[in-house]
Amino acid sequence: MKKINEFRLTVESMSANESFARSVTGAFITPLDPTLEEMADLKTAVSEAVTNCIVHAYRDTYGKIYINGAIFDDGIVRITVRDKGCGIDNIEQATAPLFTTGDGDRAGLGFTVMESFCDSVKVRSKPNCGTTVTLTKKISGKSKW
């Protein structure tokens, strides 16, 4: 598997940057000629990962969100969303459907959504050091490369 394109983006953990991350992701994978469903799936998964950083990692403050993307020659897209926030004590619990540490208006489905829209979701975290979520999806379109 050979990397054929990549990007690195750093944004503040502000709500406005969630839609920006979605747009960047969509523009980045366009040369792979994704279906509308593939495009929407990956953009939604990135949106959920970024939202987790905004809502949970930096609860009552702001911090940086680091988003890296890579496209490989076999049509695989890997997007990594990382923060240096509070981290996750129990990854298994945090990724379980309906679990949330947020307010009552949170459904606790962020990781479930990511998993349903990607081929693979990996979560690494260390309390007080941050979390890294790696989203991987194969795009079936014909690459422009």
PDB file of all heavy atoms in Angstrom, residues 28 58 62 77 131:
ATOM      1  N   PHE A  28     -10.912  16.502   0.018  1.00  0.00           N
ATOM      2  CA  PHE A  28      -9.717  15.653  -0.038  1.00  0.00           C
ATOM      3  C   PHE A  28      -9.987  14.334  -0.760  1.00  0.00           C
ATOM      4  O   PHE A  28      -9.152  13.871  -1.530  1.00  0.00           O
ATOM      5  CB  PHE A  28      -9.223  15.387   1.388  1.00  0.00           C
ATOM      6  CG  PHE A  28      -7.987  14.544   1.459  1.00  0.00           C
ATOM      7  CD1 PHE A  28      -6.778  14.998   0.957  1.00  0.00           C
ATOM      8  CD2 PHE A  28      -8.031  13.286   2.030  1.00  0.00           C
ATOM      9  CE1 PHE A  28      -5.628  14.222   1.029  1.00  0.00           C
ATOM     10  CE2 PHE A  28      -6.894  12.503   2.108  1.00  0.00           C
ATOM     11  CZ  PHE A  28      -5.693  12.964   1.605  1.00  0.00           C
ATOM     12  N   TYR A  58     -12.139  18.747  25.432  1.00  0.00           N
ATOM     13  CA  TYR A  58     -11.871  20.083  25.955  1.00  0.00           C
ATOM     14  C   TYR A  58     -13.159  20.645  26.562  1.00  0.00           C
ATOM     15  O   TYR A  58     -13.647  21.684  26.133  1.00  0.00           O
ATOM     16  CB  TYR A  58     -11.366  20.984  24.833  1.00  0.00           C
ATOM     17  CG  TYR A  58     -10.097  20.515  24.174  1.00  0.00           C
ATOM     18  CD1 TYR A  58     -10.080  20.096  22.842  1.00  0.00           C
ATOM     19  CD2 TYR A  58      -8.899  20.491  24.871  1.00  0.00           C
ATOM     20  CE1 TYR A  58      -8.909  19.677  22.227  1.00  0.00           C
ATOM     21  CE2 TYR A  58      -7.719  20.077  24.265  1.00  0.00           C
ATOM     22  CZ  TYR A  58      -7.735  19.669  22.942  1.00  0.00           C
ATOM     23  OH  TYR A  58      -6.578  19.261  22.333  1.00  0.00           O
ATOM     24  N   TYR A  62     -10.860  25.530  25.398  1.00  0.00           N
ATOM     25  CA  TYR A  62     -10.531  25.302  23.996  1.00  0.00           C
ATOM     26  C   TYR A  62      -9.163  24.662  23.911  1.00  0.00           C
ATOM     27  O   TYR A  62      -8.325  24.825  24.799  1.00  0.00           O
ATOM     28  CB  TYR A  62     -10.517  26.625  23.205  1.00  0.00           C
ATOM     29  CG  TYR A  62     -11.881  27.229  23.045  1.00  0.00           C
ATOM     30  CD1 TYR A  62     -12.268  28.322  23.801  1.00  0.00           C
ATOM     31  CD2 TYR A  62     -12.786  26.703  22.130  1.00  0.00           C
ATOM     32  CE1 TYR A  62     -13.527  28.884  23.661  1.00  0.00           C
ATOM     33  CE2 TYR A  62     -14.045  27.258  21.983  1.00  0.00           C
ATOM     34  CZ  TYR A  62     -14.404  28.340  22.753  1.00  0.00           C
ATOM     35  OH  TYR A  62     -15.647  28.897  22.613  1.00  0.00           O
ATOM     36  N   VAL A  77      -8.754   5.288   2.428  1.00  0.00           N
ATOM     37  CA  VAL A  77      -8.601   6.615   3.019  1.00  0.00           C
ATOM     38  C   VAL A  77      -8.477   6.423   4.524  1.00  0.00           C
ATOM     39  O   VAL A  77      -9.253   5.681   5.129  1.00  0.00           O
ATOM     40  CB  VAL A  77      -9.820   7.517   2.719  1.00  0.00           C
ATOM     41  CG1 VAL A  77      -9.672   8.862   3.418  1.00  0.00           C
ATOM     42  CG2 VAL A  77      -9.991   7.702   1.223  1.00  0.00           C
ATOM     43  N   THR A 131      -6.657  11.877  23.073  1.00  0.00           N
ATOM     44  CA  THR A 131      -7.239  10.741  22.362  1.00  0.00           C
ATOM     45  C   THR A 131      -6.924  10.851  20.880  1.00  0.00           C
ATOM     46  O   THR A 131      -6.915  11.949  20.326  1.00  0.00           O
ATOM     47  CB  THR A 131      -8.770  10.715  22.572  1.00  0.00           C
ATOM     48  OG1 THR A 131      -9.031  10.610  23.974  1.00  0.00           O
ATOM     49  CG2 THR A 131      -9.437   9.569  21.840  1.00  0.00           C
TER      50      THR A 131
END
